[in-house]
Amino acid sequence: MKEITDILKAYKKAVKAQQKTALATVVQVEGSSYRRPGARMLITEDGQLTGAISGGCLEGDALRKALSAIVQKENKLITYDTTDEEDATIGVQLGCNGIVHILFEPIIDVDPLNPIALLEALVAEREDAVLVTLFSLTDKSQPGSSMIYRKENSQSRTPGSIQQEVMKTAAAVLKYKTSSFEIYQLEQNAITGFFQFIRPAISLVIAGAGNDAQPLTEMAYLLGWEVSIVDGRATHASSLRFPNAARVIIAKPEQVLSKIRIDEQTAFVLMTHNYNYDLALLNLLLDTNSPYIGSLGPKKKLIRMLDELNRNTKENELRVHGPVGLDIGAETSEEIAISILAEIKAVFSGASSNALKEKKGPIHQQQQISNL
């Protein structure tokens, strides 16, 4: 999601500077590649790049292809074959052993459903959504970014002859919460639909406005997460101390939940260094559907709190991450912040937190739906 918000910020700057732009999207990958389908990059006519479609090796050629799309005002699909390490047709040896299909779309400002407008609609609401991109591997015609699908407030520019089929697939993708590819027939041509399931950015609620919460806030902000600071101390909870927090809330524990929207992407970290504040807030959080609750401090602190609340069950011990974070030998506030963020990311991604060298199979697991 951060890549998308960065692209939208860069687009606004480009419009202000009267620069024409194009959006490059990785729509399909065969084999290995640095970026997976859904990676995006905004290119301006003066060569500014925001986002990434590779590790840096394709960007030079991508600029040329984007400028061509801008001048010709038409979508273009470009295929980069990196399976032959001796092949220098694009000027680099990528060594990724994959085939990468990238769609280039010029942004037409007056078009109310251009690709950027669809991305703006995506980030406007904190709801799961499906972003649909249509492309052809065999035909010159490239429909491009076609739909934002939600349970409500969907927006579409999908060709009418396949719109109902596309919406049916999008509904299934939203239901099963996993991206997918489907093939359609459009005017006797095979059209591939890339259905990208996208969740809102992680909302991190940090209970505590001490000095150790500052690096955690800054690092979460760099990840594109939405950070909220809650604390009962007006001297500590201020926007001056947390300039990159989306909101800073001065509240007693019993007031917090009424001021925070909790959804499937909300994580809480208790680090007020005030035992009674953490205790009261933990008691309330255990009754919510928040998928992540972390507690700073030793395990015995968490056990004591659960005992005092008369809620020391195996389920609650497993649910609350206490001590919060991964074991990376963290000592400083900055290192502890890395540890906490890594654990939260792993939990929300359903990842193991193990070293990648121990992982069997590809680094990125591309899930697809079948038999929709």
Side-chain angles (χ1 to χ4, degrees):
M1 184 62 78
K2 182 179 187 300
E3 186 167 71
I4 292 175
T5 56
D6 286 345
I7 284 171
L8 293 177
K9 291 177 183 177
Y11 174 73
K12 290 180 180 179
K13 290 182 180 179
V15 170
K16 188 175 182 180
Q18 297 184 327
Q19 289 284 320
K20 295 179 181 179
T21 60
L23 183 69
T25 304
V26 178
V27 291
Q28 189 166 310
V29 171
E30 303 164 43
S32 178
S33 174
Y34 184 82
R35 297 301 307 272
R36 306 303 297 172
R40 292 177 175 81
M41 182 173 71
L42 185 76
I43 303 104
T44 64
E45 61 182 333
D46 66 347
Q48 297 297 313
L49 308 178
T50 303
I53 53 173
S54 75
C57 40
L58 297 181
E59 273 67 5
D61 189 73
L63 174 59
R64 290 187 287 274
K65 298 299 190 295
L67 292 177
S68 175
I70 290 172
V71 171
Q72 297 180 31
K73 296 183 179 180
E74 66 177 13
N75 298 344
K76 295 179 178 294
L77 185 77
I78 306 297
T79 298
Y80 296 95
D81 187 345
T82 70
T83 56
D84 185 357
E85 295 186 9
E86 299 302 319
D87 186 2
T89 57
I90 59 173
V92 292
Q93 286 100 22
L94 302 181
C96 291
N97 296 316
I99 299 174
V100 185
H101 303 281
I102 298 176
L103 181 67
F104 294 87
E105 301 175 89
I107 307 303
I108 310 301
D109 297 340
V110 295
D111 182 353
L113 289 178
N114 68 55
I116 291 295
L118 292 178
L119 293 181
E120 288 174 337
L122 173 71
V123 302
E125 301 179 37
R126 277 195 61 83
E127 288 184 36
D128 292 348
V130 179
L131 181 57
V132 183
T133 306
L134 301 176
F135 62 96
S136 175
L137 297 176
T138 58
D139 188 67
K140 182 180 179 181
S141 177
Q142 304 294 337
S145 300
S146 299
M147 182 185 294
I148 288 292
Y149 182 87
R150 288 190 173 98
K151 291 182 179 179
E152 299 179 3
N153 300 325
S154 295
Q155 297 186 35
S156 175
R157 61 182 304 155
T158 307
S161 60
I162 61 173
Q163 175 145 319
Q164 290 304 314
E165 293 179 80
V166 170
M167 290 193 72
K168 181 180 178 181
T169 304
V173 168
L174 190 65
K175 177 181 178 180
Y176 292 105
K177 302 180 185 297
T178 184
S179 298
S180 177
F181 291 90
E182 292 293 329
I183 306 295
Y184 304 96
Q185 289 297 316
L186 181 63
E187 298 177 356
Q188 299 182 337
N189 294 315
I191 294 292
T192 301
F194 169 42
F195 294 78
Q196 184 183 6
F197 174 70
I198 302 178
R199 289 187 178 278
I202 292 175
S203 172
L204 175 61
V205 183
I206 304 173
N211 292 343
D212 55 349
Q214 291 175 312
L216 180 59
T217 301
E218 292 304 303
M219 292 182 191
Y221 170 78
L222 289 175
L223 292 174
W225 296 6
E226 183 179 294
V227 183
S228 299
I229 300 292
V230 296
D231 198 300
R233 302 168 294 178
T235 54
H236 288 65
S238 72
S239 56
L240 289 177
R241 283 171 50 78
F242 297 92
N244 287 320
R247 60 190 64 83
V248 178
I249 301 169
I250 303 169
K252 296 178 180 179
E254 60 271 20
Q255 300 171 324
V256 170
L257 298 190
S258 65
K259 300 177 182 294
I260 297 291
R261 175 184 174 182
I262 300 176
D263 55 33
E264 294 180 348
Q265 289 288 98
T266 305
F268 283 85
V269 176
L270 307 178
M271 52 189 301
T272 64
H273 301 284
N274 180 322
Y275 180 83
N276 290 330
Y277 194 107
D278 286 354
L279 179 71
L281 187 52
L282 175 61
N283 190 40
L284 297 170
L285 290 176
L286 289 173
D287 294 324
T288 71
N289 62 349
S290 174
Y292 184 97
I293 303 170
S295 175
L296 188 70
K299 183 75 172 181
K300 61 183 181 181
K301 174 192 172 184
L302 173 60
I303 298 302
R304 178 186 168 191
M305 286 195 294
L306 292 174
D307 283 340
E308 288 190 21
L309 295 172
N310 197 27
R311 305 189 71 168
N312 192 354
T313 64
K314 190 67 176 177
E315 179 183 4
N316 283 337
E317 279 194 41
L318 291 174
R319 183 183 178 193
V320 182
H321 298 262
V324 66
L326 300 182
D327 183 7
I328 60 172
E331 294 289 344
T332 66
S333 296
E334 291 77 11
E335 292 169 348
I336 292 170
I338 292 172
S339 167
I340 294 171
L341 295 174
E343 183 181 56
I344 294 173
K345 174 59 179 174
V347 168
F348 279 93
S349 300
S352 66
S353 304
N354 294 331
L356 280 175
K357 70 176 183 178
E358 298 175 3
K359 184 173 184 177
K360 292 183 168 67
I363 296 174
H364 304 285
Q365 202 67 34
Q366 183 68 23
Q367 295 178 303
Q368 297 185 27
I369 299 174
S370 59
N371 303 320
L372 292 176

